[in-house]
Amino acid sequence: MSMTQNFWFLIIGLLFSIFFFLEGFDFGVGMSIKGLAKNEAERDSLISSIGPHWDGNEVWLITAGGALFASFPMWYASLFSGFYLILLFVLIALIFRGVSFEFRSRMHTDSGRNIWEWAASIGSFCAPFLLGMLFTAMVKGMPIDKAGDISASFTDYVNWFSIVGGVAVALLCLLHGLNFIRLKTTGELRQRALAYSKPLYWVLYAGEVVFAILVYVYTDFFTDKPLSTLLILVAIVALSVIDHVGTLMDHEKLSFFSTGLTLVGVVVLLFNGLYPRVMIANNPKFSILAADASSSPYTLHIMTIVTLSILPIVLVYFIWSYWVFRKRIQTKGVSHAE
Amino acid sequence: MLSSGISIVFLARWQFAMTTIFHFFFVPFSIGLGFIVAIMELLYVIKKNDVYKQMTIFWGRIFLLSFAVGVVTGLIQEFQFGMNWSVYSRFMGDIFGAPLAIEALAAFFMESTFIGLWIFTWDRFPAWLHCLMIWLVSFGTMLSALWILAANSFMQNPVGYMIDPKTGRANMVSFFDVINNYQLKMEFPHVIFGAWVTAAIVIAGMSAWALLRNKTKFTDFWRKSIKVSLIVGLIASIGVIAAGDLQTRYVSNEQQMKFAAMEGVYKTTGKSAPWSAIAGLDTTNHKTKWSLDVPYALSMLTYHKTTGAVKGMNEVNKTLHAKYDKQFGKSVNYYVPTKTLFWSFRVMAISGGWFALVSIVGLWMNRKSSESILNQRWFLYVLGLTMWLPFAANTAGWLITEFGRNPWVVYGLLTIADAVSPNVSVASLLTSNILYFAVFCCLGLVMIWLAHRELRKGPDDLASLDQAVIDPYAKEAFSK
């Protein structure tokens, strides 16, 4: 496997990591619109807190998809055609969630707003849940044929492992979102987010233990790469503990960054186990290797140059926009645009 | 097996048509609207007249609605290549993926970041900086069009590639050639001018409806909106016609089947080709049944002179069979959906001329010294109804481009029938088609309803402009 192929495998992992770190919290805030917020003003605050950011965060997913297509077309083709229905529902979730914030702000009645709040909430839960399922099912292994096409049945997609994976990712996003709310709001709403997140850690620990066992049962991670797999799992649990401590001590930045990094840890775990494959087949003979799935050296070379010259500029204004909106949201000060 | 194979291709094509057409209602509208809103804000910064701020906020709201729907429907586009067209993705990924990834990296980040900044920083940024945000958004939308059209252009006119003898896949050999594609140079200006016209005509049309309802309320606001939009509309409709003319002549050279179908020419013409304004086409026997001809006009359109023969579809068909039968077999049908192309071209061309005409008349009636636009209600009705036409024209343009590519998904390299995902079931495709259709109906209706309501409400009063903008990030809130 060439150096550029390794580099692009890393870039894909990095793009998905950034995506989960960033969109993870706006998924979590989206889930909290129903449930955490008690009234209209609080719901406004929650949506305002992610208002300037969620769209940019989602672009990391679009970029990851595009980069996957450009650098590993065989991976992109197998993955996207093979996980057809899951991706369809991810798209539907992202579509309704995506328009919900804008549409909600134009509604004049409570029931009108209610519809789009539910759309945001359900969409924000379904998208990370389904993506978690997808990635877990992917590392478990799929029935892949010689041509690289998946022809799988229901239980290949939906099984204990993938359900636990989906729930774990959604739960982490929820916690990440609650931590973001603590970071961006004041007063009662902030206190409630803190109170809500405390018991969730015990669910998270249980989930992580079950997940680790299922990784052992369903994947070859422990036989293939025992040391790194174990280390990453330990890191994930350690980060959860740090996050928990940050919550108990009411240290919101610590909590926020460690839930984000926990999500990154999950991506790292999956990509580490995947390497040097990009798709795992039930029959190891048909697993797709990164070395075979990539674009030509020329295209990878071009993409490397383009990425290295554009990405730094993107990062500068992306981070600048977070700096501009670094302040907390005032719940009382928020009123409707109309 | 055979019948299910046909269904997969049919359903995947249906889905591509449906999702792309729906997506492309919002894309040109957003590109154009972003540009015109940016002009409005620039006018506000320069002239410091509050009515321009009022215009920026009001039309900006419509822009945000359209942008949101455009973004989410665009997600489908990126995913469906892999989902429905996996063979295509494998064959073309080496070339097609790059512009798609660059589009996300260079354009989508720009649009999404600066639109977030633009929405929430009215109070916090100085006017010029705030204005810069919307210009960056607008620039981002056009940059995005450039990259996706670069990808499309390769499908129409593959350049800068080589077929890998080992894998049989297309590999990029020159990135420069791929983005320097002549097809792209023809397509891009046509699409951008088309987008400006779309938004211009819709702004003018919506303003016309508002004036029809009540010509005394916000009169200055609606008239200024008409003025700004129709100036853009006039320039852009001339641009779209000129770019279209260049493109048509290019197509007549490079994609003769597409061109012949656009003009309904089955039999190769004589030395000076007449242009059929309308015609009855017999697509089973490949004959023109009757036509209303303008002598010399087709030669004029094609070569800008009175002589010059145009090859008919029947002759082009033979050439294509001779060229490709060895590799793709005799059974490939090289005739494109002729009636669709023929009539779509007429819809598009007439619309282009009509937009220019409406813009000129509108600007004249709306001139400062005259009240005629308020009193000539018939013209306001014309303007109001015309606002739906750009959407038809845009769709017609893409029908020509994409149907005219038949039977290829990548011209001369891969047929549509061979490009589809073999492992996706008819049931899955049917499910996704039905769901997308339902989603589009929902989004489309909500969008129209909301835009209609914004219009009825009208702009915010000048006095309450400051409250019209949301800034939840209270200054005093910066504390733990």
Side-chain angles (χ1 to χ4, degrees), chain A residues 138-161:
Chain A
M138 189 177 105
V139 295
K140 177 178 164 283
M142 295 299 273
I144 300 178
D145 66 16
K146 217 171 119 189
D149 290 322
I150 294 174
S151 12
S153 56
F154 184 74
T155 50
D156 287 310
Y157 301 113
V158 183
N159 49 60
W160 285 115
F161 187 37

Side-chain angles (χ1 to χ4, degrees), chain B residues 209-390:
Chain B
W209 287 119
L211 285 174
L212 277 170
R213 243 172 73 86
N214 186 344
K215 67 174 179 181
T216 53
K217 209 174 163 199
F218 298 119
T219 315
D220 182 45
F221 176 90
W222 299 118
R223 287 193 62 176
K224 280 215 164 61
S225 296
I226 290 179
K227 186 177 173 187
V228 172
S229 65
L230 286 188
I231 290 174
V232 174
L234 179 61
I235 295 167
S237 53
I238 294 167
V240 83
I241 293 167
D245 173 57
L246 281 174
Q247 200 179 357
T248 311
R249 287 161 65 201
Y250 162 75
V251 168
S252 75
N253 250 330
E254 296 294 320
Q255 296 163 35
Q256 293 173 337
M257 183 58 91
K258 186 187 274 182
F259 181 73
M262 277 159 69
E263 298 296 6
V265 181
Y266 275 112
K267 256 180 74 182
T268 301
T269 64
K271 209 163 182 195
S272 46
W275 180 69
S276 306
I278 51 173
L281 301 169
D282 179 353
T283 49
T284 24
N285 298 314
H286 309 303
K287 272 198 310 220
T288 307
K289 283 181 291 192
W290 54 267
S291 61
L292 193 69
D293 288 351
V294 185
Y296 302 112
L298 187 54
S299 296
M300 287 295 292
L301 286 171
T302 319
Y303 306 106
H304 289 191
K305 54 186 189 191
T306 53
T307 54
V310 170
K311 273 197 191 137
M313 280 177 273
N314 296 339
E315 190 185 335
V316 179
N317 180 48
K318 277 185 200 145
T319 324
L320 291 172
H321 270 293
K323 191 169 171 191
Y324 293 118
D325 273 0
K326 223 176 179 182
Q327 196 187 347
F328 294 94
K330 285 191 166 79
S331 61
V332 180
N333 175 22
Y334 292 104
Y335 285 99
V336 296
T338 307
K339 278 184 186 166
T340 310
L341 265 72
F342 182 79
W343 292 110
S344 293
F345 184 62
R346 270 134 197 85
V347 167
M348 187 177 67
I350 292 168
S351 304
W354 180 249
F355 297 146
L357 183 70
V358 165
S359 301
I360 294 170
V361 175
L363 284 171
W364 172 250
M365 283 188 170
N366 194 36
R367 69 193 185 280
K368 236 179 208 158
S369 56
S370 159
E371 294 270 285
S372 61
I373 196 150
L374 300 178
N375 303 323
Q376 307 285 333
R377 290 175 67 84
W378 65 270
F379 181 74
L380 290 176
Y381 276 109
V382 168
L383 208 53
L385 289 173
T386 299
M387 89 178 227
W388 297 102
L389 197 57

Side-chain angles (χ1 to χ4, degrees), chain B residues 43-61:
Chain B
L43 287 169
Y44 170 65
V45 171
I46 293 169
K47 297 192 172 184
K48 302 204 170 53
N49 179 346
D50 271 343
V51 75
Y52 289 112
K53 182 172 181 185
Q54 211 179 6
M55 278 158 72
T56 309
I57 291 174
F58 178 81
W59 296 111
R61 281 201 187 125

